[in-house]
Amino acid sequence: METSKDKEKEESHSEEDVNIEEERRLDEGGEEEKRWINVVVISDTHTNHPKIVLPQGDVLVHCGDFCRRSTLQQVSVFNDWLGTTQFPIKLLIGGNHEVVLDSMRDNPQKIQGLLSNAIYLQDSEVTLFDGKLRVYGSPWVARNKYLLHPSTKGISSFIGFGLGF
């Protein structure tokens, strides 16, 4: 038996649907503008990345430790794997297991060349989706509030997100 409260709830739900429809925006070309950015964040895969089943998303962020023993071959294999993922944008920050990258720390363009299937963030920021998403990444970690150390002496990477909706 339907009560008046059930009917009110049903009517309320219908009104919400209408409001959602009204809030949809069109971009400059008249197409419906996407309102959500799906970001998938992973780390510490240690060469096991091919075994991971990733959800769909707009951006993949790997926060470091994709290597096990930090060889150029492992970097190359990881880069190849990145190229097979369905994410249109891939961001990468080195971790404490990517020691091979530390020797190139003064030349981030060289590291970017090795990781051609992603945007490598080293003390840098990228702005995506017409300014709606800003991501800063650094392979440095704070050991105390005054000293920063390269990732090989720390335990993690830093990533900061800024949403501009």
Side-chain angles (χ1 to χ4, degrees), residues 113-155:
L114 294 172
L115 296 161
S116 59
N117 289 316
I119 298 169
Y120 180 71
L121 297 175
Q122 178 179 305
D123 305 322
S124 58
E125 171 183 282
V126 64
T127 301
L128 306 168
F129 302 102
D130 297 321
K132 292 180 181 150
L133 177 66
R134 291 174 41 204
V135 182
Y136 176 85
S138 178
W140 296 71
V141 295
R143 289 307 265 308
N144 62 43
K145 64 182 180 179
Y146 302 108
L147 299 174
L148 290 176
H149 295 276
S151 61
T152 56
K153 296 189 175 146
I155 56 170

Side-chain angles (χ1 to χ4, degrees), residues 17-66:
D17 287 347
V18 171
N19 289 338
I20 289 171
E21 293 294 324
E22 291 173 353
E23 289 178 4
R24 290 185 179 165
R25 297 180 187 172
L26 299 180
D27 66 13
E28 292 174 11
E31 297 292 320
E32 188 175 321
E33 182 180 51
K34 188 172 183 176
R35 300 285 317 263
W36 303 103
I37 300 170
N38 296 315
V39 179
V40 177
V41 181
I42 60 174
S43 70
D44 299 282
T45 53
H46 300 286
T47 69
N48 290 312
H49 39 272
K51 299 174 186 173
I52 298 171
V53 177
L54 296 169
Q56 290 186 343
D58 301 305
V59 181
L60 173 66
V61 180
H62 196 297
C63 294
D65 290 356
F66 59 86

Side-chain angles (χ1 to χ4, degrees), residues 72-135:
L72 286 174
Q73 181 183 7
Q74 287 179 356
V75 173
S76 177
V77 168
F78 179 72
N79 184 58
D80 291 344
W81 174 78
L82 283 173
T84 67
T85 65
Q86 50 81 23
F87 295 89
I89 300 169
K90 296 151 235 178
L91 306 177
L92 176 63
I93 305 158
N96 64 308
H97 281 252
E98 283 74 61
V99 178
V100 69
L101 301 181
D102 285 346
S103 65
M104 298 176 242
R105 177 174 49 240
D106 294 333
N107 190 352
Q109 293 80 15
K110 187 172 183 180
I111 297 172
Q112 182 63 71
L114 294 172
L115 296 161
S116 59
N117 289 316
I119 298 169
Y120 180 71
L121 297 175
Q122 178 179 305
D123 305 322
S124 58
E125 171 183 282
V126 64
T127 301
L128 306 168
F129 302 102
D130 297 321
K132 292 180 181 150
L133 177 66
R134 291 174 41 204
V135 182

